[in-house]
PDB file of all heavy atoms in Angstrom:
ATOM      1  N   GLY A1181     -54.117  15.784  -6.406  1.00 54.00           N
ATOM      2  CA  GLY A1181     -55.438  16.379  -6.299  1.00 54.00           C
ATOM      3  C   GLY A1181     -55.244  17.772  -5.757  1.00 54.00           C
ATOM      4  O   GLY A1181     -54.385  18.516  -6.211  1.00 54.00           O
ATOM      5  N   HIS A1182     -55.989  18.122  -4.753  1.00 49.00           N
ATOM      6  CA  HIS A1182     -55.802  19.419  -4.135  1.00 49.00           C
ATOM      7  C   HIS A1182     -54.620  19.360  -3.181  1.00 49.00           C
ATOM      8  O   HIS A1182     -54.309  18.323  -2.609  1.00 49.00           O
ATOM      9  CB  HIS A1182     -57.078  19.831  -3.392  1.00 49.00           C
ATOM     10  CG  HIS A1182     -58.271  19.926  -4.296  1.00 49.00           C
ATOM     11  ND1 HIS A1182     -58.349  20.847  -5.314  1.00 49.00           N
ATOM     12  CD2 HIS A1182     -59.401  19.186  -4.357  1.00 49.00           C
ATOM     13  CE1 HIS A1182     -59.501  20.697  -5.956  1.00 49.00           C
ATOM     14  NE2 HIS A1182     -60.157  19.691  -5.397  1.00 49.00           N
ATOM     15  N   GLY A1183     -53.949  20.486  -3.017  1.00 45.00           N
ATOM     16  CA  GLY A1183     -52.702  20.513  -2.263  1.00 45.00           C
ATOM     17  C   GLY A1183     -52.849  20.089  -0.812  1.00 45.00           C
ATOM     18  O   GLY A1183     -53.856  20.341  -0.180  1.00 45.00           O
ATOM     19  N   ARG A1184     -51.827  19.447  -0.322  1.00 45.00           N
ATOM     20  CA  ARG A1184     -51.775  19.074   1.089  1.00 45.00           C
ATOM     21  C   ARG A1184     -50.547  19.723   1.687  1.00 45.00           C
ATOM     22  O   ARG A1184     -49.466  19.663   1.131  1.00 45.00           O
ATOM     23  CB  ARG A1184     -51.704  17.558   1.258  1.00 45.00           C
ATOM     24  CG  ARG A1184     -51.698  17.121   2.726  1.00 45.00           C
ATOM     25  CD  ARG A1184     -51.634  15.600   2.835  1.00 45.00           C
ATOM     26  NE  ARG A1184     -51.550  15.168   4.212  1.00 45.00           N
ATOM     27  CZ  ARG A1184     -52.579  14.971   5.005  1.00 45.00           C
ATOM     28  NH1 ARG A1184     -53.791  15.184   4.552  1.00 45.00           N
ATOM     29  NH2 ARG A1184     -52.419  14.557   6.245  1.00 45.00           N
ATOM     30  N   LEU A1185     -50.696  20.341   2.845  1.00 45.00           N
ATOM     31  CA  LEU A1185     -49.590  21.049   3.472  1.00 45.00           C
ATOM     32  C   LEU A1185     -48.460  20.090   3.818  1.00 45.00           C
ATOM     33  O   LEU A1185     -48.690  18.946   4.202  1.00 45.00           O
ATOM     34  CB  LEU A1185     -50.061  21.760   4.751  1.00 45.00           C
ATOM     35  CG  LEU A1185     -51.023  22.935   4.543  1.00 45.00           C
ATOM     36  CD1 LEU A1185     -51.474  23.481   5.888  1.00 45.00           C
ATOM     37  CD2 LEU A1185     -50.369  24.034   3.727  1.00 45.00           C
ATOM     38  N   VAL A1186     -47.226  20.576   3.670  1.00 47.00           N
ATOM     39  CA  VAL A1186     -46.055  19.801   4.045  1.00 47.00           C
ATOM     40  C   VAL A1186     -46.088  19.566   5.548  1.00 47.00           C
ATOM     41  O   VAL A1186     -46.321  20.478   6.332  1.00 47.00           O
ATOM     42  CB  VAL A1186     -44.762  20.550   3.659  1.00 47.00           C
ATOM     43  CG1 VAL A1186     -43.539  19.793   4.155  1.00 47.00           C
ATOM     44  CG2 VAL A1186     -44.699  20.758   2.166  1.00 47.00           C
ATOM     45  N   GLY A1187     -45.823  18.319   5.957  1.00 47.00           N
ATOM     46  CA  GLY A1187     -45.841  17.983   7.374  1.00 47.00           C
ATOM     47  C   GLY A1187     -44.457  17.962   7.972  1.00 47.00           C
ATOM     48  O   GLY A1187     -43.572  18.718   7.582  1.00 47.00           O
ATOM     49  N   ASP A1188     -44.262  17.090   8.947  1.00 48.00           N
ATOM     50  CA  ASP A1188     -42.984  16.958   9.637  1.00 48.00           C
ATOM     51  C   ASP A1188     -41.911  16.505   8.659  1.00 48.00           C
ATOM     52  O   ASP A1188     -42.079  15.535   7.938  1.00 48.00           O
ATOM     53  CB  ASP A1188     -43.140  15.931  10.763  1.00 48.00           C
ATOM     54  CG  ASP A1188     -41.864  15.772  11.564  1.00 48.00           C
ATOM     55  OD1 ASP A1188     -40.954  16.598  11.409  1.00 48.00           O
ATOM     56  OD2 ASP A1188     -41.792  14.813  12.336  1.00 48.00           O
ATOM     57  N   GLU A1189     -40.780  17.228   8.623  1.00 67.00           N
ATOM     58  CA  GLU A1189     -39.734  16.908   7.668  1.00 67.00           C
ATOM     59  C   GLU A1189     -38.623  16.072   8.288  1.00 67.00           C
ATOM     60  O   GLU A1189     -37.506  16.050   7.782  1.00 67.00           O
ATOM     61  CB  GLU A1189     -39.185  18.182   7.043  1.00 67.00           C
ATOM     62  CG  GLU A1189     -40.213  18.904   6.190  1.00 67.00           C
ATOM     63  CD  GLU A1189     -39.621  19.989   5.344  1.00 67.00           C
ATOM     64  OE1 GLU A1189     -38.390  20.032   5.201  1.00 67.00           O
ATOM     65  OE2 GLU A1189     -40.387  20.818   4.835  1.00 67.00           O
ATOM     66  N   THR A1190     -38.894  15.399   9.382  1.00 79.00           N
ATOM     67  CA  THR A1190     -37.949  14.446   9.946  1.00 79.00           C
ATOM     68  C   THR A1190     -38.244  13.071   9.359  1.00 79.00           C
ATOM     69  O   THR A1190     -39.382  12.620   9.395  1.00 79.00           O
ATOM     70  CB  THR A1190     -38.089  14.380  11.480  1.00 79.00           C
ATOM     71  OG1 THR A1190     -37.827  15.676  12.026  1.00 79.00           O
ATOM     72  CG2 THR A1190     -37.116  13.380  12.071  1.00 79.00           C
ATOM     73  N   PRO A1191     -37.236  12.399   8.775  1.00 85.00           N
ATOM     74  CA  PRO A1191     -37.517  11.077   8.184  1.00 85.00           C
ATOM     75  C   PRO A1191     -37.990  10.086   9.240  1.00 85.00           C
ATOM     76  O   PRO A1191     -37.500  10.084  10.374  1.00 85.00           O
ATOM     77  CB  PRO A1191     -36.170  10.663   7.572  1.00 85.00           C
ATOM     78  CG  PRO A1191     -35.149  11.513   8.238  1.00 85.00           C
ATOM     79  CD  PRO A1191     -35.829  12.782   8.621  1.00 85.00           C
ATOM     80  N   VAL A1192     -38.931   9.238   8.849  1.00 89.00           N
ATOM     81  CA  VAL A1192     -39.478   8.262   9.785  1.00 89.00           C
ATOM     82  C   VAL A1192     -38.735   6.933   9.700  1.00 89.00           C
ATOM     83  O   VAL A1192     -38.698   6.177  10.661  1.00 89.00           O
ATOM     84  CB  VAL A1192     -40.988   8.051   9.560  1.00 89.00           C
ATOM     85  CG1 VAL A1192     -41.749   9.305   9.963  1.00 89.00           C
ATOM     86  CG2 VAL A1192     -41.293   7.703   8.109  1.00 89.00           C
ATOM     87  N   PHE A1193     -38.160   6.628   8.529  1.00 92.00           N
ATOM     88  CA  PHE A1193     -37.314   5.454   8.336  1.00 92.00           C
ATOM     89  C   PHE A1193     -36.623   5.602   6.997  1.00 92.00           C
ATOM     90  O   PHE A1193     -36.721   6.657   6.348  1.00 92.00           O
ATOM     91  CB  PHE A1193     -38.109   4.136   8.417  1.00 92.00           C
ATOM     92  CG  PHE A1193     -39.305   4.065   7.509  1.00 92.00           C
ATOM     93  CD1 PHE A1193     -39.176   3.704   6.180  1.00 92.00           C
ATOM     94  CD2 PHE A1193     -40.589   4.337   8.001  1.00 92.00           C
ATOM     95  CE1 PHE A1193     -40.273   3.627   5.343  1.00 92.00           C
ATOM     96  CE2 PHE A1193     -41.694   4.264   7.163  1.00 92.00           C
ATOM     97  CZ  PHE A1193     -41.527   3.908   5.834  1.00 92.00           C
ATOM     98  N   THR A1194     -35.889   4.586   6.574  1.00 94.00           N
ATOM     99  CA  THR A1194     -35.239   4.630   5.262  1.00 94.00           C
ATOM    100  C   THR A1194     -35.725   3.471   4.411  1.00 94.00           C
ATOM    101  O   THR A1194     -36.191   2.455   4.924  1.00 94.00           O
ATOM    102  CB  THR A1194     -33.702   4.561   5.382  1.00 94.00           C
ATOM    103  OG1 THR A1194     -33.333   3.340   6.036  1.00 94.00           O
ATOM    104  CG2 THR A1194     -33.163   5.744   6.157  1.00 94.00           C
ATOM    105  N   MET A1195     -35.595   3.633   3.087  1.00 95.00           N
ATOM    106  CA  MET A1195     -35.933   2.574   2.143  1.00 95.00           C
ATOM    107  C   MET A1195     -34.686   2.233   1.330  1.00 95.00           C
ATOM    108  O   MET A1195     -33.943   3.129   0.914  1.00 95.00           O
ATOM    109  CB  MET A1195     -37.075   3.018   1.225  1.00 95.00           C
ATOM    110  CG  MET A1195     -38.382   3.240   1.961  1.00 95.00           C
ATOM    111  SD  MET A1195     -39.745   3.736   0.863  1.00 95.00           S
ATOM    112  CE  MET A1195     -39.935   2.263  -0.157  1.00 95.00           C
TER     113      MET A1195
END
Side-chain angles (χ1 to χ4, degrees):
H1182 300 296
R1184 182 180 177 86
L1185 292 176
V1186 175
D1188 182 12
E1189 294 192 14
T1190 300
V1192 291
F1193 53 83
T1194 60
M1195 295 181 65

